[in-house]
Amino acid sequence: MTEGDPLLHLLHTEQCFEAVLSRRADEPFDDDREHLLAAELHFTLQSLYVQALSSLRTQVVGCGRSPPHKEKSPAAAASPECTPGETAARVAAIKEMQRSHAATCVARLELTSPPPRVLSVAAAYALSEKEAVALTLLVLQRSHRTALFSGCLGSDSFEADQALLPALLCDASSLELAAFYDEERPHIKEGIIHVDEDYSSRQTASLSFEACDAIVNGLRAEARPDSYRRPYLVPGSGGVEGEAAAARTRAEAKRVKLDRLRLKLSGTKLLMALDSLEGAPPAEPQPLPGGTAASEQHGAAAVAAAGAAGAGG
């Protein structure tokens, strides 16, 4: 694919994607953020491929009463409309970029240690390869960073039936997704993934905000983003002392937010997997059929009991 290719021009409008495309297969992923960005590019390419293939199908077989598209005559060569041959070339170009990007990601993952958090969570829940891809898609639906990916999620190809989105982007069948959404699976029982079913029995899934936060930002306080709340500064407390006080306030806000997050995820395989990844001793599994809400109640009760024991001592 040449530098003047329209597909490259499109992807390079996103600086994040341009950075991903510049990495080599012999370079490990720098961090989870870069791995999720590479996954975002993967889904974007898959969406573009599905849309290009749909355009080619319409041109070849026609739609409604319109006759199938005919190749342009030399006199109409200046028309901006693509011929089926040109569209087929674009489909092939996107497919080749998909293959190249996937091969590069596989090679980079083999060099990356520890593995990305989303893959560690997938392993903890014994997800299949396609289910792990579906989990990554659910993470990115809440945390994506590019307008191209956002546009792909809301394109005409997918707006008609959001239930088809994981099947099209993850190359998974309806049966495979039904198994992923089964209410007896641990990731469903623990409330990590929520599944909604409409009147026609179509299922759509979403990742809990707590699970997404933990996967994207991790559980190390020093590596997490600052709280959205601005620290309160006493009027006139500027200079070094004021900055130090603000830093302490930010650090405390991050710690409190992280404690609340851990409380909501207590008893889940996700929390144990991420603790193990961060080097913390994993807690004993405590299955909670009520999901994250039950986890929060269980955690709160444990904290209250610990406080009562301390007071009695």
Side-chain angles (χ1 to χ4, degrees):
M1 188 173 293
T2 61
E3 292 185 0
D5 189 275
L7 177 59
L8 280 180
H9 281 309
L10 175 64
L11 296 176
H12 283 182
T13 59
E14 298 283 2
Q15 293 184 353
C16 296
F17 286 166
E18 186 177 8
V20 171
L21 290 169
S22 68
R23 300 301 298 267
R24 303 191 310 270
D26 60 351
E27 299 175 322
F29 287 106
D30 294 337
D31 50 30
D32 286 77
R33 180 181 177 84
E34 189 188 18
H35 171 259
L36 285 175
L37 190 55
E40 193 168 325
L41 175 57
H42 162 81
F43 290 120
T44 300
L45 287 172
Q46 177 64 10
S47 174
L48 293 174
Y49 174 75
V50 170
Q51 294 175 65
L53 198 60
S54 176
S55 298
L56 179 59
R57 177 190 59 80
T58 301
Q59 288 179 322
V60 171
V61 303
C63 110
R65 295 183 178 181
S66 302
H69 191 289
K70 294 182 179 180
E71 292 288 342
K72 296 177 190 176
S73 63
S79 172
E81 183 182 358
C82 291
T83 67
E86 292 168 339
T87 304
R90 292 184 179 181
V91 170
I94 296 174
K95 194 65 176 178
E96 174 58 25
M97 179 170 279
Q98 278 186 295
R99 185 204 62 77
S100 175
H101 178 61
T104 299
C105 286
V106 169
R108 296 185 67 189
L109 275 174
E110 292 177 351
L111 301 174
T112 303
S113 181
R117 285 187 288 267
V118 66
L119 298 184
S120 297
V121 170
Y125 286 103
L127 302 185
S128 68
E129 183 176 348
K130 289 185 179 180
E131 289 173 345
V133 175
L135 173 63
T136 305
L137 176 62
L138 293 178
V139 171
L140 288 172
Q141 283 180 307
R142 292 206 185 279
S143 64
H144 61 271
R145 284 169 281 164
T146 64
L148 268 180
F149 179 82
S150 178
C152 290
L153 293 180
S155 68
D156 294 338
S157 301
F158 306 131
E159 280 184 348
D161 191 352
Q162 283 293 312
L164 291 176
L165 184 63
L168 292 171
L169 295 187
C170 302
D171 192 26
S173 68
S174 297
L175 286 176
E176 288 170 324
L177 289 177
F180 182 53
Y181 297 157
D182 189 283
E183 62 183 8
E184 295 301 318
R185 298 285 295 273
H187 55 275
I188 304 295
K189 294 174 71 174
E190 293 178 356
I192 300 302
I193 293 176
H194 305 291
V195 179
D196 295 320
E197 188 170 327
D198 64 13
Y199 62 90
S200 60
S201 299
R202 291 180 300 184
Q203 294 177 310
T204 56
S206 62
L207 188 69
S208 75
F209 282 102
E210 294 82 11
C212 187
D213 186 359
I215 291 174
V216 173
N217 296 317
L219 297 176
R220 291 172 55 236
E222 63 273 16
R224 291 177 58 81
D226 287 338
S227 170
Y228 65 88
R229 295 185 179 89
R230 298 184 62 182
Y232 175 75
L233 296 178
V234 178
S237 61
V240 177
E241 292 184 1
E243 292 178 1
R248 288 193 298 271
T249 302
R250 286 194 297 268
E252 178 63 15
K254 288 171 67 173
R255 186 192 65 77
V256 170
K257 186 175 181 179
L258 180 57
D259 287 346
R260 289 175 178 171
L261 177 64
R262 295 182 66 90
L263 190 64
K264 291 181 178 181
L265 293 172
S266 62
T268 64
K269 292 178 181 291
L270 182 146
L271 182 61
M272 290 186 289
L274 296 185
D275 274 341
S276 177
L277 200 63
E278 301 288 358
E284 289 297 323
Q286 300 174 10
L288 298 171
T292 52
S295 299
E296 184 174 357
Q297 294 173 1
H298 170 81
V303 171

